[in-house]
Amino acid sequence: MKFKKITAVVSALCMLCAVPFLPEQVQKTAVISANAEASSGTCGDNLTWILDIHGTLKISGTGTFVEQGFNTIWSGMDVKNLIIEEGLTETAFSFMSCSALSSVQLPESLEVLGTATFASCNNLKRVLIPAGVKTIGSDAFAGTGLTVIIIKSPDCEIIDGDTGYTLGSAENTVIHGYVNSTAQAYAEKYGYQFEALEESMPGDVDGNGTIDILDVITVNRALLGKEFLTETQVQAVDFNGNGKPDADETLTIMRYIVGLITSFTE
């Protein structure tokens, strides 16, 4: 019976959206194959890094991410995407030669984003700061090209050092946070545009109060560039915390609909 439900959902999705999932899987296979030629090393007592040939830097382990032994080779890297996996609690470094960096994925375990961590990364446009982050260090995003920063913790300490550049430029950056949060207070102090976050039900992308095939269709239309998702809608589907919907998250909603999973954290 469950198999029939899965088949029906997949068939409906293919007919209505015609989303090319295969290329996504092909890309993943290519990345996995490329790891044989990847660079790797350590960046803390219990932390390791690996950079694949496509420019994705992944940091794994627990503890504090430090500069020693990392910045010596960082300048020779062409890092386009940064993924920090769960376990890391603090960044104690400043990125160097980060002009190619365009996306950052931070873990829920992160508590402290250190001083000037992403300063001068001028191609970095959008960042999601997870709810676990308690402190954003001075000038963390100074000199970046940020247009959107989403701060999920209402009580996050934002250290400004009276510069007003910690979260990027007030002329370009829109700060998204909860009403009466420290993010809102920072925005008002330094003249940033502020957008209030609304609570969203995970998986309910279209906002109709249920999780169904319409949510899958909405996300797929967004992936094809046929529909724009609001910040609230992105929140509802952003299970991996990278600030945008992707094909894997669409499949996760489908698995939930047919009963293969009972929550979006499995």
Side-chain angles (χ1 to χ4, degrees):
M1 187 67 179
K2 186 175 289 186
F3 177 76
K4 290 182 179 179
K5 289 177 68 179
I6 296 173
T7 302
V9 170
V10 172
S11 298
L13 183 61
C14 291
M15 288 187 290
L16 290 171
C17 306
V19 175
F21 287 108
L22 183 58
E24 180 79 12
Q25 299 303 321
V26 172
Q27 290 173 16
K28 289 182 179 181
T29 302
V31 171
I32 292 170
S33 299
N35 281 342
E37 304 174 44
S39 302
S40 62
T42 60
C43 47
D45 291 340
N46 301 303
L47 290 167
T48 59
W49 61 267
I50 184 168
L51 176 69
D52 69 31
I53 63 173
H54 302 288
T56 296
L57 175 66
K58 183 177 291 187
I59 298 169
S60 306
T62 58
T64 300
F65 182 7
V66 296
E67 287 182 292
Q68 290 76 9
F70 182 71
N71 276 349
T72 53
I73 57 174
W74 169 259
S75 59
M77 295 181 177
D78 184 22
V79 178
K80 298 182 177 73
N81 311 294
L82 173 65
I83 299 173
I84 302 178
E85 298 190 326
E86 291 297 329
L88 184 140
T89 55
E90 181 177 354
T91 62
F93 64 92
S94 299
F95 270 65
M96 300 171 61
S97 303
C98 61
S99 59
L101 187 65
S102 60
S103 73
V104 170
Q105 182 176 323
L106 302 174
E108 290 290 339
S109 60
L110 186 66
E111 297 180 359
V112 179
L113 190 64
T115 299
T117 297
F118 296 108
S120 300
C121 295
N122 54 8
N123 276 321
L124 194 58
K125 304 298 183 185
R126 177 190 174 99
V127 172
L128 171 66
I129 307 296
V133 175
K134 299 175 182 177
T135 303
I136 300 175
S138 177
D139 295 330
F141 296 98
T144 64
L146 274 187
T147 56
V148 172
I149 184 166
I150 304 166
I151 302 176
K152 299 297 290 291
S153 170
D155 303 314
C156 180
E157 179 185 17
I158 305 170
I159 301 175
D160 56 34
D162 294 324
T163 64
Y165 295 111
T166 293
L167 302 183
S169 165
E171 290 78 19
N172 301 319
T173 308
V174 179
I175 298 175
H176 295 255
Y178 292 108
V179 174
N180 297 324
S181 65
T182 54
Q184 182 177 13
Y186 187 93
E188 292 174 352
K189 180 177 180 180
Y190 291 109
Y192 288 78
Q193 180 180 340
F194 178 78
E195 296 288 343
L197 290 174
E198 299 177 13
E199 295 292 346
S200 60
M201 178 193 297
D204 182 21
V205 185
D206 65 356
N208 68 356
T210 61
I211 302 169
D212 53 28
I213 192 64
L214 295 178
D215 297 303
V216 177
I217 293 172
T218 300
V219 178
N220 283 331
R221 286 179 56 81
L223 292 176
L224 291 170
K226 296 182 177 180
E227 187 165 336
F228 174 78
L229 298 186
T230 66
E231 291 299 335
T232 300
Q233 288 177 302
V234 172
Q235 272 189 275
V237 71
D238 189 21
F239 309 129
N240 61 18
N242 68 354
K244 60 183 180 181
D246 54 45
D248 280 345
E249 289 164 331
T250 302
L251 294 172
T252 298
I253 296 176
M254 289 175 61
R255 293 178 66 214
Y256 181 91
I257 293 171
V258 299
L260 295 178
I261 59 174
T262 56
S263 77
F264 294 108
T265 58
E266 295 182 14

